[in-house]
Amino acid sequence: MCGIIGAVARRNIVPLLLEGLQRLEYRGYDSCGLAVYDDGRLQSARSTARVSDLAQRVADLGLQGLTGIAHTRWATHGKPATHNAHPHFSPSEAQPRIALCHNGIIENHEVLRRRLEEAGYVFASQTDTEVIAHLIDHLYRGDLFEAVAQAVAQLHGSYALAVCSPEEPHRVVGARQGSPLVVGVGADGHYLASDALALAGVTDQIVYLEDGDIVDIQLERYWLADADGRAVTRPQRTVQVHTGAAELGPYRHFMQKEIFEQPRAVADTLKDVEGVMPELFGDKAWPAFARVRTVLIIACGSSYYAGLTAKYWIETLARIPVTVEIASEYRYRDSPTDPDTLVVAVSQSGETADTLGALRHARAQGMDMTLAICNIASSSLVRECALSFITHAGVEIGVASTKAFTTQMVALFLLALSLAQVRGRLSDSEEAEHLKALRHLPLALQAVLAQEPQIIAWAERFARCNDALFLGRGMHYPVALEGALKLKEISYLHAEAYPAGELKHGPLALVSEDMPVVTVAPNDALLEKLKSNMQEVDARGGQLYVFADADSAVTASPSVHVIRLAEHYGLLSPILHTVPLQLLAYHTAVIRGTDIDKPRNLAKSVTVE
Ligand code: F6R
């Protein structure tokens, strides 16, 4: 999704801005641009292609400068087009007094637009962002910081802003509300970015802004004010970003690389786990876990499906009732609250606007036991939750969640065990058995990955269909949901998932030989029930593609195709069964020739609601 980088430095910042944009590319974008101050002028370039195209334009124009801002845009208001790409200018691009980049959504942009048009401003784009540029210009009386402070007081919605003006050439002003923004403190200047990753190689000294903060970036210093206009300081942290993750190695796509990294990612996530204990989730977890009467899990997309799996684990192991809510729905619902609820927010990025919104909604309802399961230790989500568990998947570049998802499941399984332990429902021998199974997971995952050639053969069939149905039962129903999501987002095929018992209540009408039916069929207590559901498909001419376990009594036939996983993995089986579905989606997309790591219309970190 949108990304910002800004700089005031002693050296030409154009290469640094372009490299920063390149680091943010994986998040998904449809246009990009930059503005730099040089020789008394603010000059700009924009592109609706890749950052490499922008770099070419910048080189052709010979742009350079010591102060500037840059942006990758993921369209919300106004289609992807050069005139909608950021930076936006006021009063006009030809004679700019203000240049501005924005992440987020301004909800009252229509009212402001009308007002500014009445004041004589002419709009060059369909974006909500341009409203902010004109508003700042309208309020500008020679002090950019002051004008930004007055403008943001009139905005409703979410924003991270980077603003500069040729009238004050060595200054960039930033502001944040509901969208992340950091300050980078470097040896030769100060920087602004929506993600510390954009500043990798420039500085590792990062200051995270809080909602309502406005920051004044200058060459020798930076200065911060909070929402009430008071001067504040925020802690400066050393943040190591692993840029090596951006190398493909022998793989064709980052998604494939990340699927194959799962044994390592799971092992890393478990590396500090010496035993089951609430303290895995923070020093203050024990009293909180002892108080818990219900668990509420909030998340979006794949993270939501990880949460659905956790419901089975927590209810089975700890006997605590669990509700799993889609964050964008929960945050606007007036649902009953219980202060003894453990609110678990699951997010790879920790910056998903809806998940953060749902967390804040839960807290506003008096639920203060909050736990983040997150892959990014420095994220807003981790900083806003009382407790946290950091998965060690490493940077995930592919838009589709793979290693982040499986490591979330590992973290949630540890949560189920810890809650069970606090409730006296986990004996020492049970703990030892579960830990042994967890530690064996990396090897078990290797064995699943070794089945890639068989899955490629199936992908040939899937690449030719228009629709696919995924079935699972019990804790493998969320796995079916995740499999369908993976297939649709990267291969653009229509796919749906159902709990297999629901087939005869509607979806059976869709079954024909043209629609493959993927079935997740581990050798668990529900296998016999599932086999009846498979018969229902077979009897109606459907083609079944079954992921079974070595000992699942499922017989292959011309209409029943079976791939067997090496072993049945008990409660952890959903983690193993996810992997062949990732590979199926990946290879189907390879055959269909889609943009696998950056699927159309999608973004990696969804920082707008
Ligand atoms: C699907 C996918 C998305 C994310 C969702 C939440 O492959 O990646 O559905 O799971 O956007 O993102 P996070 O986990 O960052 O909150």
Coordinates of all heavy atoms in Angstrom, one line a residue, residues 542-609:
G542 N -18.4 -34.9 -9.9 CA -17.3 -34.0 -9.5 C -15.9 -34.7 -9.5 O -15.8 -35.9 -9.4
Q543 N -14.9 -33.8 -9.6 CA -13.5 -34.3 -9.6 C -12.9 -33.9 -8.2 O -12.8 -32.7 -8.0 CB -12.7 -33.7 -10.7 CG -13.1 -34.2 -12.1 CD -12.5 -35.6 -12.4 OE1 -11.3 -35.8 -12.0 NE2 -13.3 -36.5 -12.9
L544 N -12.4 -34.9 -7.5 CA -11.9 -34.5 -6.1 C -10.4 -34.6 -6.1 O -9.8 -35.5 -6.7 CB -12.4 -35.6 -5.1 CG -13.9 -35.4 -4.7 CD1 -14.5 -36.7 -4.4 CD2 -14.0 -34.4 -3.5
Y545 N -9.8 -33.6 -5.5 CA -8.3 -33.5 -5.3 C -8.1 -33.4 -3.8 O -8.3 -32.4 -3.2 CB -7.8 -32.2 -6.0 CG -7.9 -32.4 -7.5 CD1 -9.1 -32.1 -8.2 CD2 -6.8 -32.8 -8.3 CE1 -9.2 -32.3 -9.5 CE2 -6.9 -33.0 -9.7 CZ -8.2 -32.7 -10.3 OH -8.3 -32.9 -11.6
V546 N -7.6 -34.6 -3.3 CA -7.6 -34.8 -1.9 C -6.2 -34.8 -1.3 O -5.3 -35.5 -1.8 CB -8.3 -36.2 -1.6 CG1 -8.4 -36.4 -0.1 CG2 -9.6 -36.3 -2.3
F547 N -6.0 -33.9 -0.3 CA -4.8 -33.9 0.5 C -5.0 -34.7 1.7 O -5.7 -34.2 2.6 CB -4.3 -32.5 0.8 CG -3.8 -31.7 -0.4 CD1 -4.7 -30.8 -1.0 CD2 -2.6 -32.0 -1.0 CE1 -4.2 -30.1 -2.2 CE2 -2.1 -31.3 -2.1 CZ -2.9 -30.4 -2.7
A548 N -4.6 -36.0 1.7 CA -4.8 -36.9 2.8 C -3.5 -37.1 3.6 O -2.5 -36.5 3.3 CB -5.3 -38.2 2.2
D549 N -3.6 -37.9 4.7 CA -2.4 -38.3 5.4 C -2.0 -39.7 4.9 O -2.9 -40.4 4.3 CB -2.7 -38.3 6.9 CG -2.8 -36.9 7.5 OD1 -2.3 -36.0 6.9 OD2 -3.4 -36.8 8.5
A550 N -0.8 -40.1 5.2 CA -0.4 -41.4 4.7 C -1.4 -42.5 5.1 O -1.6 -43.4 4.3 CB 1.0 -41.7 5.3
D551 N -1.9 -42.4 6.3 CA -2.8 -43.5 6.8 C -4.3 -43.1 6.7 O -5.1 -43.8 7.2 CB -2.4 -43.8 8.2 CG -2.3 -42.6 9.1 OD1 -2.6 -41.5 8.6 OD2 -2.1 -42.8 10.3
S552 N -4.6 -42.0 5.9 CA -6.1 -41.7 5.7 C -6.6 -42.8 4.8 O -6.1 -43.0 3.7 CB -6.3 -40.4 5.1 OG -5.8 -39.3 5.9
A553 N -7.7 -43.4 5.2 CA -8.3 -44.5 4.3 C -9.1 -43.8 3.2 O -10.3 -43.8 3.3 CB -9.1 -45.4 5.2
V554 N -8.4 -43.2 2.3 CA -9.1 -42.6 1.1 C -8.5 -43.3 -0.1 O -7.3 -43.3 -0.3 CB -8.8 -41.1 1.0 CG1 -9.4 -40.5 -0.2 CG2 -9.2 -40.4 2.3
T555 N -9.4 -43.8 -0.9 CA -9.0 -44.6 -2.1 C -9.0 -43.7 -3.3 O -10.0 -43.1 -3.6 CB -9.9 -45.8 -2.3 OG1 -10.1 -46.4 -1.0 CG2 -9.3 -46.8 -3.3
A556 N -7.9 -43.8 -4.1 CA -7.8 -43.0 -5.3 C -8.6 -43.7 -6.4 O -8.8 -44.9 -6.4 CB -6.4 -42.9 -5.8
S557 N -9.2 -43.0 -7.3 CA -9.9 -43.5 -8.5 C -9.8 -42.5 -9.6 O -9.2 -41.4 -9.4 CB -11.4 -43.7 -8.1 OG -12.0 -42.5 -8.0
P558 N -10.3 -42.8 -10.8 CA -10.2 -41.8 -11.9 C -10.8 -40.4 -11.5 O -10.4 -39.4 -12.0 CB -11.0 -42.4 -13.0 CG -10.9 -43.9 -12.8 CD -10.9 -44.0 -11.3
S559 N -11.8 -40.4 -10.6 CA -12.3 -39.1 -10.2 C -11.9 -38.6 -8.8 O -12.2 -37.5 -8.4 CB -13.9 -39.2 -10.2 OG -14.3 -40.2 -9.3
V560 N -11.1 -39.5 -8.1 CA -10.6 -39.1 -6.8 C -9.0 -39.1 -6.9 O -8.4 -40.2 -6.9 CB -11.1 -40.0 -5.7 CG1 -10.6 -39.5 -4.3 CG2 -12.6 -40.1 -5.7
H561 N -8.4 -37.9 -6.9 CA -7.0 -37.8 -7.0 C -6.4 -37.6 -5.6 O -7.0 -36.7 -4.9 CB -6.6 -36.7 -7.9 CG -7.4 -36.7 -9.2 ND1 -7.0 -37.3 -10.3 CD2 -8.6 -36.2 -9.5 CE1 -7.9 -37.2 -11.3 NE2 -8.9 -36.5 -10.8
V562 N -5.4 -38.3 -5.2 CA -5.0 -38.2 -3.8 C -3.5 -37.9 -3.7 O -2.7 -38.5 -4.4 CB -5.3 -39.5 -3.0 CG1 -4.9 -39.3 -1.6 CG2 -6.7 -39.9 -3.2
I563 N -3.1 -36.9 -2.9 CA -1.7 -36.7 -2.5 C -1.7 -36.9 -1.0 O -2.5 -36.4 -0.3 CB -1.2 -35.3 -2.9 CG1 -1.1 -35.2 -4.4 CG2 0.1 -35.0 -2.2 CD1 -0.6 -33.8 -4.9
R564 N -0.7 -37.8 -0.6 CA -0.7 -38.1 0.9 C 0.5 -37.4 1.5 O 1.6 -37.5 1.0 CB -0.6 -39.6 1.0 CG -1.8 -40.4 0.6 CD -1.7 -41.9 0.7 NE -2.7 -42.5 -0.1 CZ -4.0 -42.7 0.2 NH1 -4.4 -42.3 1.4 NH2 -4.8 -43.2 -0.6
L565 N 0.2 -36.8 2.7 CA 1.3 -36.2 3.5 C 1.9 -37.4 4.3 O 1.2 -38.4 4.6 CB 0.7 -35.2 4.4 CG 0.7 -33.7 3.8 CD1 -0.1 -33.7 2.5 CD2 0.0 -32.8 4.8
A566 N 3.2 -37.2 4.6 CA 3.9 -38.4 5.2 C 3.4 -38.9 6.5 O 3.4 -40.1 6.8 CB 5.4 -38.0 5.4
E567 N 2.8 -38.0 7.3 CA 2.4 -38.5 8.6 C 1.2 -37.7 9.1 O 1.0 -36.6 8.6 CB 3.5 -38.4 9.6 CG 4.1 -37.0 9.7 CD 5.4 -36.9 10.5 OE1 5.4 -37.5 11.6 OE2 6.3 -36.2 10.1
H568 N 0.4 -38.2 10.0 CA -0.7 -37.5 10.6 C -0.1 -36.7 11.8 O 0.6 -37.2 12.6 CB -1.8 -38.4 11.1 CG -2.9 -37.6 11.8 ND1 -3.5 -36.5 11.1 CD2 -3.4 -37.6 13.0 CE1 -4.4 -36.0 12.0 NE2 -4.3 -36.6 13.2
Y569 N -0.5 -35.4 11.9 CA 0.2 -34.5 12.8 C -0.6 -34.0 13.9 O -0.4 -33.0 14.5 CB 0.9 -33.4 12.0 CG 2.3 -33.1 12.5 CD1 3.3 -34.0 12.3 CD2 2.5 -32.0 13.4 CE1 4.6 -33.8 12.8 CE2 3.8 -31.8 13.9 CZ 4.8 -32.7 13.6 OH 6.1 -32.5 14.1
G570 N -1.7 -34.8 14.2 CA -2.5 -34.4 15.4 C -3.0 -33.0 15.3 O -3.4 -32.5 14.3
L571 N -3.0 -32.3 16.5 CA -3.5 -31.0 16.6 C -2.8 -30.0 15.7 O -3.3 -29.0 15.3 CB -3.4 -30.5 18.0 CG -4.5 -30.9 19.0 CD1 -4.2 -30.4 20.4 CD2 -5.9 -30.5 18.5
L572 N -1.5 -30.3 15.4 CA -0.8 -29.4 14.5 C -1.0 -29.6 13.0 O -0.4 -28.9 12.2 CB 0.7 -29.4 14.8 CG 1.1 -28.9 16.2 CD1 2.5 -29.2 16.6 CD2 0.9 -27.4 16.2
S573 N -1.8 -30.6 12.7 CA -2.0 -30.9 11.3 C -2.4 -29.7 10.4 O -2.0 -29.6 9.3 CB -3.1 -32.0 11.2 OG -3.6 -32.2 10.0
P574 N -3.2 -28.7 10.9 CA -3.6 -27.6 10.0 C -2.3 -26.9 9.5 O -2.3 -26.4 8.4 CB -4.4 -26.7 10.9 CG -5.0 -27.5 12.0 CD -3.9 -28.6 12.2
I575 N -1.3 -26.8 10.3 CA -0.1 -26.1 9.8 C 0.5 -26.9 8.6 O 0.9 -26.3 7.6 CB 1.0 -26.0 10.9 CG1 0.4 -25.2 12.1 CG2 2.3 -25.3 10.4 CD1 1.2 -25.0 13.3
L576 N 0.6 -28.2 8.7 CA 1.2 -29.0 7.6 C 0.3 -28.9 6.4 O 0.7 -28.8 5.3 CB 1.4 -30.4 8.0 CG 2.5 -30.8 9.0 CD1 2.8 -32.3 9.0 CD2 3.8 -30.0 8.5
H577 N -1.0 -29.0 6.6 CA -2.0 -29.1 5.5 C -2.1 -27.8 4.7 O -2.6 -27.8 3.6 CB -3.3 -29.7 5.9 CG -3.4 -31.2 5.8 ND1 -3.7 -31.8 4.7 CD2 -3.1 -32.1 6.8 CE1 -3.7 -33.1 4.9 NE2 -3.3 -33.3 6.2
T578 N -1.7 -26.7 5.3 CA -1.7 -25.4 4.6 C -0.7 -25.4 3.5 O -1.0 -24.8 2.4 CB -1.3 -24.3 5.6 OG1 -2.3 -24.2 6.6 CG2 -1.2 -22.9 5.0
V579 N 0.4 -26.0 3.7 CA 1.6 -25.9 2.7 C 1.3 -26.4 1.3 O 1.5 -25.7 0.3 CB 2.8 -26.5 3.3 CG1 4.0 -26.5 2.4 CG2 3.2 -25.8 4.6
P580 N 0.6 -27.6 1.2 CA 0.3 -28.0 -0.2 C -0.6 -27.1 -0.9 O -0.6 -26.9 -2.1 CB -0.2 -29.4 0.0 CG -0.5 -29.6 1.4 CD 0.4 -28.7 2.1
L581 N -1.5 -26.5 -0.1 CA -2.5 -25.6 -0.7 C -1.8 -24.3 -1.2 O -2.1 -23.7 -2.3 CB -3.6 -25.2 0.2 CG -4.4 -26.4 0.8 CD1 -5.6 -25.9 1.6 CD2 -4.9 -27.3 -0.4
Q582 N -0.8 -23.9 -0.5 CA 0.1 -22.7 -0.9 C 0.7 -23.1 -2.3 O 0.8 -22.3 -3.2 CB 1.1 -22.4 0.1 CG 0.6 -21.9 1.4 CD 1.7 -21.8 2.5 OE1 2.8 -22.4 2.3 NE2 1.5 -21.1 3.6
L583 N 1.3 -24.3 -2.3 CA 2.0 -24.7 -3.5 C 1.1 -24.9 -4.7 O 1.4 -24.5 -5.8 CB 2.8 -26.0 -3.3 CG 4.0 -25.9 -2.4 CD1 4.6 -27.3 -2.0 CD2 5.1 -25.1 -3.1
L584 N -0.1 -25.3 -4.4 CA -1.1 -25.5 -5.5 C -1.4 -24.1 -6.1 O -1.5 -23.9 -7.3 CB -2.4 -26.2 -5.0 CG -3.4 -26.5 -6.0 CD1 -3.0 -27.4 -7.1 CD2 -4.7 -27.0 -5.3
A585 N -1.7 -23.2 -5.2 CA -2.0 -21.8 -5.7 C -0.9 -21.2 -6.4 O -1.0 -20.7 -7.5 CB -2.4 -20.9 -4.5
Y586 N 0.3 -21.4 -5.9 CA 1.5 -20.8 -6.5 C 1.7 -21.4 -7.9 O 1.9 -20.6 -8.9 CB 2.8 -21.1 -5.6 CG 4.0 -20.7 -6.3 CD1 4.4 -19.3 -6.5 CD2 4.9 -21.6 -6.9 CE1 5.5 -18.9 -7.2 CE2 6.0 -21.3 -7.6 CZ 6.3 -19.9 -7.7 OH 7.4 -19.5 -8.4
H587 N 1.7 -22.7 -8.1 CA 2.0 -23.3 -9.4 C 0.9 -23.0 -10.4 O 1.1 -22.9 -11.6 CB 2.4 -24.7 -9.3 CG 3.8 -24.9 -8.7 ND1 4.9 -24.5 -9.4 CD2 4.2 -25.3 -7.5 CE1 5.9 -24.7 -8.7 NE2 5.6 -25.2 -7.5
T588 N -0.4 -22.9 -9.9 CA -1.5 -22.6 -10.8 C -1.2 -21.2 -11.3 O -1.4 -20.9 -12.5 CB -2.8 -22.7 -10.0 OG1 -2.9 -24.0 -9.5 CG2 -4.0 -22.4 -10.9
A589 N -0.8 -20.3 -10.5 CA -0.6 -18.9 -10.9 C 0.6 -18.8 -11.8 O 0.6 -18.1 -12.8 CB -0.3 -18.0 -9.7
V590 N 1.7 -19.6 -11.6 CA 2.8 -19.7 -12.5 C 2.4 -20.0 -13.9 O 2.7 -19.4 -14.9 CB 3.9 -20.7 -12.0 CG1 5.0 -20.9 -13.1 CG2 4.6 -20.2 -10.7
I591 N 1.5 -21.1 -14.0 CA 1.1 -21.5 -15.3 C 0.2 -20.5 -16.0 O 0.3 -20.2 -17.2 CB 0.3 -22.9 -15.2 CG1 1.3 -24.0 -14.7 CG2 -0.3 -23.3 -16.5 CD1 0.6 -25.2 -14.1
R592 N -0.6 -19.8 -15.2 CA -1.5 -18.7 -15.7 C -0.7 -17.4 -16.0 O -1.3 -16.5 -16.6 CB -2.6 -18.5 -14.8 CG -3.6 -19.6 -14.8 CD -4.7 -19.5 -13.7 NE -5.5 -18.3 -13.9 CZ -6.7 -18.3 -14.6 NH1 -7.1 -19.4 -15.2 NH2 -7.4 -17.2 -14.7
G593 N 0.5 -17.3 -15.5 CA 1.3 -16.2 -15.9 C 0.9 -14.9 -15.2 O 1.1 -13.8 -15.7
T594 N 0.4 -15.0 -14.0 CA 0.0 -13.7 -13.2 C 1.2 -13.1 -12.5 O 2.3 -13.7 -12.4 CB -1.1 -14.1 -12.2 OG1 -0.5 -15.1 -11.3 CG2 -2.3 -14.6 -12.8
D595 N 1.0 -11.9 -12.0 CA 2.1 -11.2 -11.3 C 2.1 -11.7 -9.8 O 1.4 -11.1 -9.0 CB 1.8 -9.7 -11.4 CG 3.0 -8.9 -10.9 OD1 4.0 -9.5 -10.4 OD2 2.9 -7.6 -11.0
I596 N 2.7 -12.8 -9.6 CA 2.5 -13.6 -8.3 C 2.9 -12.7 -7.1 O 2.1 -12.7 -6.1 CB 3.3 -14.9 -8.4 CG1 2.7 -15.8 -9.4 CG2 3.3 -15.6 -7.0 CD1 3.4 -17.1 -9.6
D597 N 4.0 -12.1 -7.1 CA 4.4 -11.4 -5.9 C 3.7 -10.1 -5.7 O 3.6 -9.5 -4.5 CB 5.9 -11.1 -5.9 CG 6.7 -12.4 -5.7 OD1 6.2 -13.3 -5.0 OD2 7.8 -12.5 -6.2
K598 N 3.1 -9.5 -6.7 CA 2.3 -8.3 -6.6 C 1.0 -8.4 -7.3 O 0.8 -7.8 -8.4 CB 3.1 -7.1 -7.2 CG 4.4 -6.8 -6.5 CD 5.1 -5.6 -7.1 CE 6.5 -5.4 -6.7 NZ 7.5 -6.1 -7.5
P599 N 0.1 -9.3 -6.9 CA -1.1 -9.5 -7.6 C -1.9 -8.2 -7.8 O -1.8 -7.3 -6.9 CB -1.9 -10.5 -6.7 CG -1.1 -10.7 -5.5 CD 0.2 -10.0 -5.6
R600 N -2.6 -8.2 -8.9 CA -3.3 -6.9 -9.3 C -4.3 -6.5 -8.1 O -4.9 -7.3 -7.4 CB -4.1 -7.1 -10.6 CG -5.3 -8.1 -10.4 CD -6.0 -8.3 -11.7 NE -7.1 -9.3 -11.5 CZ -7.6 -10.0 -12.5 NH1 -7.2 -9.9 -13.7 NH2 -8.6 -10.8 -12.2
N601 N -4.3 -5.2 -7.9 CA -5.3 -4.5 -7.0 C -4.9 -4.8 -5.5 O -5.6 -4.3 -4.6 CB -6.7 -5.0 -7.2 CG -7.2 -4.8 -8.6 OD1 -6.6 -4.0 -9.3 ND2 -8.1 -5.6 -9.0
L602 N -3.9 -5.6 -5.2 CA -3.7 -5.9 -3.8 C -2.4 -5.2 -3.3 O -1.5 -4.8 -4.0 CB -3.5 -7.4 -3.6 CG -4.7 -8.3 -4.0 CD1 -4.5 -9.7 -3.7 CD2 -6.0 -7.8 -3.2
A603 N -2.4 -5.0 -1.9 CA -1.2 -4.4 -1.3 C -0.8 -5.3 -0.1 O -1.6 -6.0 0.4 CB -1.6 -3.0 -0.8
K604 N 0.5 -5.2 0.2 CA 1.0 -6.0 1.3 C 0.5 -5.6 2.7 O 0.2 -6.4 3.5 CB 2.5 -6.0 1.2 CG 3.2 -6.9 2.2 CD 3.0 -8.3 2.0 CE 3.5 -9.3 3.0 NZ 2.9 -10.6 2.9
S605 N 0.6 -4.3 2.9 CA 0.3 -3.8 4.2 C -0.9 -2.8 4.1 O -0.8 -1.8 3.4 CB 1.5 -3.1 4.8 OG 1.3 -2.6 6.0
V606 N -2.1 -3.2 4.6 CA -3.3 -2.5 4.2 C -3.5 -1.4 5.3 O -4.3 -1.6 6.3 CB -4.5 -3.5 4.1 CG1 -5.7 -2.7 3.6 CG2 -4.1 -4.6 3.1
T607 N -2.9 -0.3 5.1 CA -2.9 0.8 6.1 C -4.1 1.7 6.0 O -4.2 2.7 6.7 CB -1.6 1.6 6.1 OG1 -1.3 1.9 4.7 CG2 -0.4 0.7 6.6
V608 N -5.0 1.5 5.0 CA -6.3 2.2 5.0 C -7.4 1.3 5.3 O -7.3 0.1 4.9 CB -6.5 3.0 3.7 CG1 -5.5 4.1 3.5 CG2 -6.6 2.1 2.5
E609 N -8.5 1.8 5.8 CA -9.6 0.8 6.1 C -10.5 0.7 4.8 O -10.4 1.5 3.9 CB -10.5 1.3 7.2 CG -11.2 2.6 7.0 CD -12.2 2.8 8.1 OE1 -13.2 2.1 8.2 OE2 -12.0 3.8 8.9

